[in-house]
């Protein structure tokens, strides 16, 4: 059996034009689960594939792990081509949503099981299994059975079982899906801290936006088998590349807009409510359609805007109390709607807005996003 060696300065994982087709339609055309994905995942990075069900994120993860082979394209592990190698020939381990612990074995025996299959001597595998349990802070459970552990503890044991093989890359396929919300959030922080401590490349799959933003160094947002955007959490949230990313990550107001043309070196845009905005989008032509996007928390309800804000006029529709904030739906004259989140400390009780109130909504020019239509 050949041993994969790491190429100097290689990425942990590199995907080059990777495709996966499962079906051929009635016209003889392939239907893609993953379509021409190109990615470079760095050594020691916490990288997340994020997207809705059926977007191709789990299929991509399975191809990296060797559980699926690509229909075309190349997968590199530490600079070495592993595209056609089966899972057991790759120095990669996977933690699945179902922990798959053996109920008749102790925790220590569960963690050491993979080493036993590889015929590692008993003394060495017990030592390595205990070290893995210490890494996840579960050494005190070594002699217990899985049934005696909580869901969060079982998740840690599944992590230890993957770490004991000292993988170059650890894959995590929605591993917190079976946990309640409080425990899920605790595990997110614990796993991120563990990854920083160990320095291993973690590749994570989730459909939970908050989870991805909390844990990741970088995120690949996927839809329809394509990668829509790759960036760090701040870039994904604050600088969405297109309508899909803007709409999928958190709440986003998206108004129809049209390019009116150029005034000097500025592009003039007309958006919802007849508002005109100037920006620097040189690639647009007069008449081109686009989307003006704004986060609800970037908006404020004002008496008078300042010169660095864009002003929208409308009337309050729904007004919903959500604890720290009040969420207003402001209807614009042309029928479009803006969601505005106002912290409760911003208004006194006498200024709480009611349905039908006329208001002015301001957005800082720096918080506007102009997206291809």
């Amino acid at each position: 059996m050949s041993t994969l060696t790491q190429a100097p300065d290689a990425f942990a994982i590199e995907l080059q034009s990777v495709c996966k087709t499962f079906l051929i339609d009635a016209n003889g055309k392939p239907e893609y689960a993953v379509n021409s994905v190109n990615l470079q995942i760095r050594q020691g990075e916490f990288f997340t594939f994020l997207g809705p069900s059926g977007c191709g994120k789990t299929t991509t993860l399975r191809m990296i792990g060797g559980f699926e082979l690509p229909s075309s394209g190349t997968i590199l592990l530490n600079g070495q081509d592993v595209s056609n190698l089966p899972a057991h020939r790759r120095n990669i381990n996977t933690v699945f949503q179902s922990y798959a612990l053996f109920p008749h074995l102790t925790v220590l025996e569960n963690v050491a099981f993979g080493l036993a299959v590889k015929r590692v001597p008993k003394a060495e595998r017990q030592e390595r299994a205990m070290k893995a349990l210490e890494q996840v802070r579960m050494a005190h459970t070594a002699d217990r059975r899985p049934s005696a552990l909580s869901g969060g503890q079982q998740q840690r044991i599944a992590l230890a079982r993957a770490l004991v093989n000292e993988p170059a890359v650890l894959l995590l396929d929605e591993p917190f899906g079976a946990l309640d919300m409080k425990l899920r959030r605790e595990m997110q922080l614990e796993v991120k801290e563990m990854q920083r401590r160990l320095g291993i490349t973690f590749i994570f799959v989730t459909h939970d936006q908050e989870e991805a933003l909390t844990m990741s160094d970088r995120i690949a947002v996927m839809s329809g088998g394509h990668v829509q955007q790759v960036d760090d959490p701040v870039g994904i949230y604050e600088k969405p590349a297109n309508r899909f990313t803007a709409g999928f990550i958190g709440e986003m107001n998206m108004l129809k807009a049209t390019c009116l043309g150029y005034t000097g070196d500025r592009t003039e845009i007309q958006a919802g409510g007849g508002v005109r905005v100037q920006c620097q989008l040189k690639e647009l032509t007069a008449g081109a359609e686009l989307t003006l996007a704004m986060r609800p928390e970037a908006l404020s309800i004002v008496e008078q805007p300042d010169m660095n804000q864009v002003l929208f006029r409308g009337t309050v529709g729904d007004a919903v109390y959500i604890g720290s904030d009040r969420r207003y739906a402001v209807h614009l004259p042309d029928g479009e709607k803006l969601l505005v989140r106002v912290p409760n400390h911003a208004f006194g009780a006498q200024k709480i807005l009611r349905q039908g109130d006329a208001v002015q909504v301001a957005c800082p020019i720096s918080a506007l996003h102009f997206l291809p239509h």
Side-chain angles (χ1 to χ4, degrees):
M1 182 183 296
S2 62
T3 301
L4 293 176
T5 57
Q6 181 171 336
D9 302 320
F11 290 99
I13 293 291
E14 189 168 0
L15 306 182
Q16 300 175 346
S17 301
V18 170
C19 297
K20 182 65 177 180
T21 57
F22 283 121
L23 299 172
I24 303 295
D25 67 17
N27 298 317
K29 294 181 180 179
E31 294 189 7
Y32 288 91
V34 175
N35 195 344
S36 300
V37 169
N38 292 280
L39 280 175
Q40 294 172 329
I41 300 174
R42 302 163 188 148
Q43 301 285 350
E45 185 173 31
F46 198 117
F47 190 93
T48 297
F49 288 102
L50 171 67
S53 297
C55 71
K57 59 187 185 294
T58 295
T59 301
T60 304
L61 192 81
R62 289 177 62 81
M63 286 192 289
I64 293 172
F67 302 105
E68 300 277 356
L69 298 182
S71 302
S72 61
T74 304
I75 299 174
L76 302 179
L77 168 62
N78 292 327
Q80 303 293 315
D81 188 350
V82 297
S83 306
N84 296 307
L85 287 183
H88 70 275
R89 295 280 305 280
R90 308 184 189 194
N91 189 19
I92 296 175
N93 272 73
T94 306
V95 178
F96 297 101
Q97 183 173 335
S98 59
Y99 314 133
L101 301 177
F102 297 111
H104 61 287
L105 300 181
T106 66
V107 164
L108 185 65
E109 289 168 340
N110 265 284
V111 175
F113 183 81
L115 300 177
V117 172
K118 294 179 179 178
R119 300 185 183 279
V120 174
K122 184 176 181 180
E124 180 185 345
R125 67 176 182 254
Q126 288 191 327
E127 181 182 351
R128 287 172 60 178
M130 280 302 297
K131 181 181 177 182
L133 285 171
E134 289 166 1
Q135 288 175 333
V136 299
R137 297 171 183 169
M138 291 296 291
H140 62 285
T141 68
D143 295 327
R144 299 183 193 174
R145 305 283 181 183
S147 59
L149 305 178
S150 68
Q153 289 175 321
Q154 290 184 44
Q155 182 64 78
R156 292 186 187 93
I157 302 309
L159 279 167
R161 186 176 56 189
L163 292 170
V164 77
N165 292 303
E166 300 173 351
V169 175
L170 184 64
L171 309 180
L172 301 102
D173 187 7
E174 305 208 43
F176 309 138
L179 304 180
D180 64 65
M181 184 56 68
K182 182 175 184 296
L183 182 54
R184 184 172 185 146
R185 288 176 174 168
E186 290 174 359
M187 287 298 298
Q188 290 168 6
L189 298 177
E190 284 192 25
V191 169
K192 178 58 182 173
E193 188 277 330
M194 183 193 309
Q195 186 268 337
R196 285 199 188 106
R197 189 172 71 248
L198 298 175
I200 295 173
T201 303
F202 277 30
I203 304 178
F204 191 82
V205 160
T206 184
H207 63 272
D208 188 313
Q209 306 151 34
E210 182 179 336
E211 189 167 80
L213 295 171
T214 298
M215 301 180 71
S216 311
D217 296 320
R218 284 193 305 150
I219 300 168
V221 180
M222 294 191 70
S223 172
H226 294 273
V227 172
Q228 301 290 330
Q229 183 173 352
V230 180
D231 208 335
D232 62 29
V234 174
I236 290 289
Y237 189 83
E238 296 186 3
K239 298 177 181 179
N242 54 39
R243 284 174 59 90
F244 178 82
T245 302
F248 184 73
I249 306 295
E251 285 187 312
M252 182 71 87
N253 292 297
M254 290 192 278
L255 303 180
K256 295 177 183 178
T258 305
C259 175
L260 298 178
Y262 295 92
T263 303
D265 64 345
R266 308 287 287 177
T267 307
E268 191 162 4
I269 306 293
Q270 180 165 305
V275 171
R276 293 193 177 189
V277 185
Q278 289 190 338
C279 63
Q280 292 181 320
L281 294 175
K282 299 299 185 184
E283 67 276 13
L284 291 177
T285 58
E289 294 184 341
L290 65 156
T291 297
L292 179 63
M294 300 159 281
R295 295 286 181 194
E297 64 269 23
L299 305 180
S300 56
I301 295 174
V302 299
E303 297 293 335
Q304 290 294 331
D306 64 38
M307 62 182 297
N308 295 315
Q309 293 178 320
V310 175
L311 190 68
F312 299 86
R313 292 180 173 86
T315 56
V316 174
D318 297 328
V320 181
Y321 175 78
I322 51 175
S324 60
D325 299 344
R326 288 184 187 271
R327 185 172 179 270
Y328 295 105
V330 176
H331 295 272
L332 305 181
D334 61 358
E336 293 208 75
K337 182 174 67 175
L338 288 175
L339 296 178
V340 186
R341 294 187 65 148
V342 179
N344 279 321
H345 62 77
F347 286 146
Q350 72 279 11
K351 290 189 177 180
I352 291 175
L353 300 173
R354 305 295 180 190
Q355 191 174 39
D357 286 350
V359 293
Q360 298 186 116
V361 178
C363 180
I365 293 175
S366 60
L368 297 174
H369 305 285
F370 301 93
L371 306 175
H373 187 65

